[in-house]
Amino acid sequence: MAYTGQMRWAPDARGRLQGAALDLFSEQGYAATTVPQITARAGLTTRTFFRHFADKREVIFGGDEIPERAARMIAAAPAELAHMEVIRLVLHRVAQEQFEGHHEQTAEIRTLIHANDSLRDRDARKRDDMVRAVRAAFIERGEPPLTATVVAELGILVFQVSLDEWAADPDAPPMTAVIDAVMHRLGDLSLSLRPSAAEPLG
Amino acid sequence: MAYTGQMRWAPDARGRLQGAALDLFSEQGYAATTVPQITARAGLTTRTFFRHFADKREVIFGGDEIPERAARMIAAAPAELAHMEVIRLVLHRVAQEQFEGHHEQTAEIRTLIHANDSLRDRDARKRDDMVRAVRAAFIERGEPPLTATVVAELGILVFQVSLDEWAADPDAPPMTAVIDAVMHRLGDLSLSLRPSAAEPLG
DNA sequence: CTATCTGATGTCACGTCGTGTCATGGCATA
DNA sequence: TATGCCATGACACGACGTGACATCAGATAG
């Protein structure tokens, strides 16, 4: 299936590499696919692959703008909103704009990631990157560092759990609904952290 | 500093490799240290390194029994304890038994990890492994899956934030106190998730 | 005391990843 | 036509990680 013709100056080299990689990963698995295989299918050379992606995993994770967008949304959120309501607002918008309507593709990528330790590594660090970005945004809002840390961790916790729950269920409700469900469960659990709260535990 | 003598059958090869690696990492940095350098200092060969550690990073992360121990503690915890009190109990014990008294060494390792993306990757996946173990333990206790997921994520969130806060501060209070502080902050923040809670926000 | 077995280590060859460096080919612009 | 820019190619190379087989110390049996 490798192109023998002159693809060198065909447009969208990066996109061709991503397409070829995703195809091969689903055909043979991630580990069994080599970079030369990918570039052969895309009609490019190995060296060019590493000009577009820092390493083999980035062909899946590359071009993620969620941290920046989330930070901007937090900065633009009404000042009077409670911490976790800012989180809810941002997550809803990210869900709608980035994921809703791409359920199948998202599920495929999540499956791929969960099947390979090297990709799980990278996915877990991406989560950490998101936490850092959100934390910085809340500090920018004037929150004390520990509060910003915990809010950011909580927000990304909700995001990650919701994303995997949503992606794993073929008949899942809209991702915004999953987010709300996770946040509600979080509220239940946190009750026992506040002995002052006078509600009995379920 | 490389041993020229016959170290081949000297005891504790694994420990010698870890010691040599940690020394070299702090002297030259992680990325600049090669596996042959490590094995030369430990008086062994490259091949032997990879018999003891699956890859170069595992010389830092290897031999981590926290997930198993945490799972056993959860299984043994009194059935009437609220979710987050089980978490608090387990985290206190892990803090006391694994970290208290090793502040300096812990801080050094955390610094090393935070300075290198490849190690951050691995550290982030280790966190995910802990979440999975804790989640499984709560499911074993009879919790529904989503509750188990969120409890586990929350628990490990507290652990990770507390560990880094504690390690980063040379004059930190006991780690158990940091854990309690983080959990208290978590309770504050979660208030806004429960509109029914009648307390005003701080 | 010797034979044998076992497990850790050594030796060697190899494939893949990822980078440094310089050469080349298309395209735009003057 | 000349010039420069930039994406890509070509090549060499070091480091990572693995498979296969050889070797050596110590334990155990006879």
Side-chain angles (χ1 to χ4, degrees):
Chain A
M1 186 57 75
Y3 299 96
T4 53
Q6 197 54 337
M7 298 295 292
R8 180 173 174 181
W9 298 107
D12 193 22
R14 184 185 174 93
R16 271 152 53 213
L17 287 168
Q18 282 178 320
L22 268 296
D23 286 352
L24 286 165
F25 291 164
S26 66
E27 289 172 18
Q28 321 173 345
Y30 172 81
T33 302
T34 68
V35 174
Q37 282 176 341
I38 297 168
T39 52
R41 184 171 294 210
L44 296 165
T45 62
T46 303
R47 189 66 185 87
T48 296
F49 180 92
F50 291 107
R51 288 201 179 93
H52 286 279
F53 305 101
D55 62 52
K56 190 174 151 189
R57 299 170 304 177
E58 291 304 305
V59 76
I60 295 179
F61 293 97
D64 186 8
E65 304 136 3
I66 289 183
E68 295 77 9
R69 297 190 56 241
R72 278 201 302 276
M73 286 187 212
I74 293 167
E80 68 274 15
L81 227 47
H83 302 109
M84 293 310 288
E85 290 308 318
V86 176
I87 294 293
R88 191 193 306 271
L89 179 71
V90 172
L91 293 188
H92 276 202
R93 286 186 51 182
V94 169
Q96 285 167 342
E97 298 173 8
Q98 303 283 123
F99 295 100
E100 218 68 70
H102 306 93
H103 186 277
E104 194 169 344
Q105 182 191 356
T106 303
E108 190 175 349
I109 292 182
R110 298 310 297 169
T111 301
L112 192 60
I113 291 172
H114 286 305
N116 183 276
D117 278 348
S118 172
L119 297 178
R120 282 183 58 211
D121 278 8
R122 184 63 184 84
D123 189 55
R125 176 157 67 86
K126 192 171 104 177
R127 172 178 176 158
D128 191 52
D129 288 337
M130 288 193 282
V131 169
R132 291 178 181 216
V134 172
R135 178 177 184 273
F138 273 97
I139 284 181
E140 201 68 25
R141 265 171 92 91
E143 302 294 343
L146 182 57
T147 300
T149 299
V150 177
V151 172
E153 288 275 3
L154 269 180
I156 301 305
L157 185 166
V158 173
F159 172 69
Q160 199 70 31
V161 171
S162 302
L163 177 60
D164 274 330
E165 291 283 330
W166 177 74
D169 180 1
D171 307 315
M175 189 170 157
T176 51
V178 179
I179 289 169
D180 287 336
V182 171
M183 291 185 82
H184 189 270
R185 190 65 50 103
L186 209 55
D188 291 345
L189 289 166
S190 305
L191 271 188
S192 60
L193 290 168
R194 311 249 333 151
S196 60
E199 283 183 337
L201 303 175
Chain B
M1 186 56 78
Y3 300 97
T4 53
Q6 197 53 340
M7 298 295 294
R8 181 174 174 179
W9 297 105
D12 195 22
R14 183 186 175 94
R16 270 152 54 215
L17 287 168
Q18 283 177 318
L22 269 296
D23 287 352
L24 287 165
F25 291 164
S26 65
E27 289 171 18
Q28 320 173 344
Y30 172 80
T33 302
T34 68
V35 173
Q37 282 177 340
I38 297 168
T39 53
R41 184 171 294 209
L44 295 166
T45 61
T46 303
R47 189 67 185 85
T48 296
F49 179 93
F50 291 106
R51 288 199 179 93
H52 286 279
F53 305 100
D55 61 54
K56 190 175 152 189
R57 300 171 303 178
E58 291 304 305
V59 77
I60 295 178
F61 293 97
D64 186 8
E65 303 137 3
I66 290 182
E68 294 77 9
R69 297 191 55 241
R72 277 201 301 276
M73 287 187 213
I74 292 167
E80 67 274 15
L81 228 47
H83 303 110
M84 294 310 288
E85 290 307 319
V86 175
I87 294 292
R88 190 192 308 270
L89 179 72
V90 171
L91 293 187
H92 277 203
R93 286 186 53 182
V94 169
Q96 284 167 341
E97 298 174 8
Q98 303 282 124
F99 294 100
E100 220 68 70
H102 306 92
H103 186 277
E104 195 170 343
Q105 182 190 356
T106 304
E108 190 175 349
I109 292 182
R110 298 310 298 170
T111 301
L112 193 60
I113 291 172
H114 286 304
N116 183 276
D117 278 348
S118 172
L119 297 178
R120 283 183 57 213
D121 278 7
R122 185 63 183 84
D123 189 55
R125 175 156 68 88
K126 192 171 102 177
R127 173 178 175 157
D128 192 53
D129 288 337
M130 287 193 282
V131 169
R132 291 177 181 217
V134 172
R135 177 176 184 273
F138 273 97
I139 285 182
E140 201 68 24
R141 264 172 93 91
E143 303 293 342
L146 182 56
T147 300
T149 299
V150 176
V151 172
E153 289 276 1
L154 269 179
I156 301 306
L157 185 166
V158 172
F159 172 70
Q160 199 70 32
V161 170
S162 302
L163 178 60
D164 275 328
E165 291 282 329
W166 177 74
D169 180 2
D171 308 315
M175 189 171 157
T176 51
V178 179
I179 289 169
D180 287 336
V182 170
M183 290 186 82
H184 189 271
R185 190 66 50 104
L186 208 55
D188 292 346
L189 289 166
S190 305
L191 270 189
S192 61
L193 291 170
R194 309 253 331 154
S196 59
E199 283 182 340
L201 302 175

